[in-house]
Amino acid sequence: MRIVRAYPNLPDAQLAKLALESAGIGADILDEATATLAPHLTFGSGIRLAVADEDFDQAREVLGLPPVELPPARVKRGAPWWAFVILGVAVVGLFLKGRPSAAQDDDLYAIDRNGDGKKDERYEFDARGRLKSAWSDNNFDGRWDERTYFRNGVVERVERDLDFDGVFDAVTEFRHGVPLTTAVRKGDKGPILSLTTYRDGVLVHVLEDHDGDGHWDVRIEYDPYGRESKREELRVKVSASP
């Protein structure tokens, strides 16, 4: 199997999977269970969408991705989850160990993930080598569509441009590296259209304002396994801040 793309959230990955299946291409969301039970664990790596090797080029075309030949990312099925955790920790450790000591603030590290000659991922470090911010261009259009801010190396806030129009409309707030809420607006100053609440990093409920009139229309509750357990129609005035 080969990784077509890593998505910032599970709904985006699911929509992409549906688009591929509509085109007759089978696809797997490799991190679906993790994104459902502990979504904060996927904020760094994203949620990976994979297809068979022979469908890779067609899948990229269906999703509107540049036709760039990427090295295959093979996944060995049946490997225990902790093996991937250990591997991830080892890779991050080697990366940080290999970086020269930061001599000043705003030490930058940028990479080109799709080989088009443009930097589409950037990391900013403080003088102690701790992450200050991370920026990603996930659709490779030359504009940042995801940015993550850290305090003392721990994630504090993630902002995403969901429709790739240059405006960050989704904001996830964290405490001690664990997500608290995700607020989605149409534009950065519009009314809150969706407010997702987490408890200990696990999805609890979602409030939705479908018509953007400043009133909640629907409340959706979830069980500890990320399954919808209750849906309620309501009309409650949206507060000024989540």
Side-chain angles (χ1 to χ4, degrees):
M1 300 190 76
R2 298 183 67 175
I3 308 300
V4 178
R5 180 181 169 186
Y7 288 85
N9 56 68
L10 184 56
D12 286 353
Q14 291 170 332
L15 287 175
K17 179 181 179 181
L18 288 175
L20 293 178
E21 291 176 343
S22 297
I25 302 173
D28 289 325
I29 301 175
L30 302 182
D31 307 292
E32 187 165 16
T34 302
T36 300
L37 298 177
H40 60 285
L41 296 179
T42 66
F43 279 111
S45 60
I47 301 168
R48 298 166 298 166
L49 182 66
V51 299
D53 291 359
E54 60 271 19
D55 294 329
F56 179 76
D57 292 332
Q58 184 183 356
R60 290 182 62 82
E61 182 178 352
V62 170
L63 296 176
L65 299 175
V68 177
E69 182 66 23
L70 300 177
R74 300 184 179 275
V75 178
K76 183 179 179 181
R77 294 184 179 276
W81 65 267
W82 47 263
F84 296 102
V85 174
I86 293 174
L87 177 61
V89 171
V91 170
V92 172
L94 288 173
F95 167 71
L96 294 177
K97 184 177 180 181
R99 291 182 65 253
S101 299
Q104 59 182 12
D105 278 351
D106 301 334
D107 186 23
L108 296 176
Y109 177 81
I111 58 176
D112 174 12
R113 291 177 294 169
N114 68 335
D116 64 354
K118 300 177 182 179
K119 303 299 184 183
D120 45 54
E121 195 160 281
R122 186 185 76 176
Y123 299 93
E124 188 178 17
F125 300 85
D126 64 18
R128 298 179 60 182
R130 299 174 301 189
L131 272 172
K132 290 176 58 178
S133 65
W135 301 65
S136 298
D137 173 12
N138 292 311
N139 68 333
F140 309 116
D141 66 350
R143 295 189 298 190
W144 303 117
D145 48 60
E146 182 174 342
R147 55 194 182 194
T148 305
Y149 298 97
F150 301 80
R151 182 185 295 273
N152 298 325
V154 179
V155 63
E156 186 176 52
R157 180 182 177 95
V158 175
E159 300 175 355
R160 297 192 301 273
D161 175 8
L162 300 178
D163 52 6
F164 305 113
D165 65 349
V167 178
F168 290 86
D169 16 48
V171 176
T172 301
E173 301 286 354
F174 293 75
R175 179 182 295 154
H176 307 305
V178 178
L180 297 176
T181 60
T182 297
V184 177
R185 305 173 185 267
K186 182 59 178 177
D188 57 352
K189 296 181 180 180
I192 300 175
L193 302 179
S194 173
L195 179 63
T196 302
T197 300
Y198 308 90
R199 182 181 297 121
D200 298 325
V202 179
L203 176 63
V204 176
H205 61 76
V206 176
L207 291 167
E208 297 180 347
D209 176 12
H210 294 161
D211 51 14
D213 66 348
H215 294 79
W216 296 129
D217 298 310
V218 177
R219 177 187 174 95
I220 309 170
E221 297 183 1
Y222 295 84
D223 66 17
Y225 299 97
R227 300 172 301 191
E228 182 177 325
S229 59
K230 181 180 179 182
R231 180 179 291 262
E232 179 183 5
E233 301 289 333
L234 42 79
R235 298 288 292 178
V236 179
K237 183 66 178 178
V238 178
S239 59
S241 60

